[in-house]
Amino acid sequence: MNDGFGCEPNVPLRPVSKISVAFNLKKSAGSGEPDDKYEEYDPLCTVESVAETIASFGFSVSLCEQDENFAARLQNQSPDFVANIAEGRGQGRGREAQVPCVLESASIPFWGSDAVSMAMALDKLLTCRTLSAEGIPVPFSASFRGSEDLAALPSLFGQFSRMVVKPRYEGSSKGIFSDSVAHSHREAEEKIRRIWNRYDQPALLEEYLPGDEITVGLTGNGNPSVAGMMKITPLQPREEFLYSLEEKRNYLERIRYDGPDTIPPALRNQIGRFAVSAFSALELRDMARVDFRLDDDGIPRIIDINPLPGLSPLYSDLPILHRLSGGTYSGLIRAILMSAFRRSSLDCSRFAREANAS
């Protein structure tokens, strides 16, 4: 019988006293680099928010930046557990798997998905193929690697009147701009070449879905719990809306976040089921954020799934939707930690004491 705090009694559990927070620190793009090159990296205030919240549970917390000295720093800190928010270095589709690979090779438990799931989820094409194979609704998408692929564009625009052009493996709306919707094969080619030149990776063409954008957060394992849900709406209504880089950077002036009460109960339940199914299909762990758009028939389709969601208490979607659903930032971090501790057979008694004290 579970004790209510995620730990199984009568099972030998490893103690945890030292936790390191692994991260990439946000910096300015260099000359000739895209201004969103480091968009996914975290400012120091976010790293400190995560570290201070974990420390409030009674752990000793160290900061461990993933840079050229990461391995030596990790060895020196010798943590019992790692809270990983590092996005990885470079531009490859395996970059979010870099820190999990290091931690797995060192047998250090950490929160979040393993290296394989991280790499799979970052690649939007492979994610769509996997979810589609599981019967989970996704938009049509196609990858464009080089000039020889462009011949397929006229046929695609015979099937779809509008398509979104985005990088194949990025997050935080990198490469998704307010003008990323293409209405013809000529527009699409121009935007595809922009992706190639700007990010040096394949471009993904995705069917434009005209309905509401809704994002849902999950925590847990096996049958994860919905940590919250919200609808993302532009303050100034427009015919074509994308939750683009410009919108995210100026969310206070351009975006309204509406809590779950604004979403019809039947749709809420449907989205929750699809999100949990996607979490299971990709074999994710501990946390994720799943993004949906409604199609012409009102069916929610998954446009992205992020097993490494931002954790800024101020502007990241997961903490915002959790707060709109009645939760707290501390409660969210606690839920993620508890999920990882339970999965890794780590001692949870500290959390039980903290809960009793409160």
Side-chain angles (χ1 to χ4, degrees):
M1 180 178 178
N2 192 276
D3 65 3
F5 293 94
C7 295
E8 299 293 341
N10 305 318
V11 175
L13 302 174
R14 289 174 289 169
V16 176
S17 61
K18 298 188 298 181
I19 295 180
S20 293
V21 179
F23 64 96
N24 298 106
L25 196 62
K26 199 165 196 171
K27 55 186 177 181
S28 299
S31 176
E33 293 180 327
D35 66 347
D36 58 352
K37 181 176 177 65
Y38 302 105
E39 197 73 23
E40 291 194 279
Y41 288 7
D42 289 298
L44 185 59
C45 60
T46 296
V47 179
E48 290 177 338
S49 293
V50 172
E52 289 168 4
T53 303
I54 294 173
S56 74
F57 302 134
F59 297 101
S60 173
V61 181
S62 301
L63 303 185
C64 194
E65 183 175 4
Q66 189 214 9
D67 56 16
E68 60 275 7
N69 300 312
F70 175 66
R73 187 177 296 115
L74 186 68
Q75 184 176 24
N76 182 61
Q77 292 178 1
S78 187
D80 303 310
F81 181 87
V82 170
N84 175 39
I85 59 173
E87 298 284 348
R89 307 178 74 195
Q91 297 181 173
R93 63 177 176 171
R95 58 179 173 75
E96 288 186 354
Q98 291 169 5
V99 167
C101 277
V102 171
L103 299 176
E104 288 168 359
S105 68
S107 298
I108 301 173
F110 58 96
W111 77 17
S113 295
D114 69 359
V116 175
S117 292
M118 285 289 196
M120 173 73 79
L122 186 61
D123 189 322
K124 293 178 173 62
L125 181 68
L126 296 186
T127 297
C128 281
R129 287 175 175 172
T130 301
L131 299 184
S132 180
E134 294 293 321
I136 301 168
V138 294
F140 171 86
S141 61
S143 178
F144 286 74
R145 299 170 180 267
S147 298
E148 65 278 4
D149 296 330
L150 297 175
L153 286 175
S155 175
L156 284 180
F157 279 88
Q159 301 174 56
F160 304 99
S161 60
R162 295 179 288 181
M163 302 198 78
V164 183
V165 184
K166 59 175 71 171
R168 182 167 149 180
Y169 30 89
E170 292 292 355
S172 299
S173 289
K174 282 181 65 174
I176 302 176
F177 307 105
S178 57
D179 68 346
S180 287
V181 180
H183 304 83
S184 69
H185 69 272
R186 291 185 179 85
E187 278 189 22
E189 179 176 344
E190 177 184 338
K191 298 177 194 305
I192 287 169
R193 291 188 182 279
R194 178 172 65 181
I195 297 298
W196 291 344
N197 295 333
R198 188 178 176 96
Y199 304 104
D200 191 27
Q201 65 177 267
L204 193 74
L205 255 69
E206 184 179 275
E207 169 191 3
Y208 177 80
L209 303 176
D212 289 335
E213 179 147 342
I214 297 170
T215 186
V216 57
L218 300 172
T219 59
N221 286 293
N223 186 29
S225 301
V226 172
M229 191 180 299
M230 69 182 181
K231 183 165 60 174
I232 299 167
T233 307
L235 287 174
Q236 298 296 326
R238 64 201 75 167
E239 183 178 350
E240 291 178 345
F241 167 66
L242 292 177
Y243 194 29
S244 64
L245 185 68
E246 298 97 331
E247 305 290 350
K248 288 190 174 181
R249 285 178 171 177
N250 299 285
Y251 71 100
L252 290 174
E253 293 81 23
R254 302 173 71 160
I255 295 294
R256 186 179 74 244
Y257 299 115
D258 296 316
D261 290 345
T262 65
I263 304 168
L267 178 59
R268 225 165 41 222
N269 292 335
Q270 185 181 35
I271 285 176
R273 290 195 306 272
F274 286 153
V276 169
S277 295
F279 191 99
S280 175
L282 295 175
E283 299 184 2
L284 305 185
R285 306 190 314 200
D286 303 328
M287 61 177 155
R289 196 199 69 241
V290 188
D291 302 332
F292 293 81
R293 283 289 287 257
L294 305 188
D295 64 16
D296 285 305
D297 298 318
I299 297 172
R301 298 181 180 270
I302 293 178
I303 58 172
D304 197 15
I305 183 164
N306 189 348
L308 193 63
L311 289 175
S312 166
L314 299 177
Y315 59 80
S316 292
D317 287 347
L318 180 58
I320 292 173
L321 67 84
H322 186 62
R323 185 169 65 248
L324 289 173
S325 301
T328 64
Y329 184 73
S330 176
L332 175 63
I333 299 298
R334 185 177 185 276
I336 298 168
L337 275 175
M338 288 298 298
S339 174
F341 273 37
R342 179 184 183 184
R343 173 178 53 78
S344 304
S345 297
L346 302 177
D347 184 8
C348 306
S349 59
R350 189 186 302 266
F351 290 100
R353 292 195 299 271
E354 183 265 341
N356 290 334
S358 64

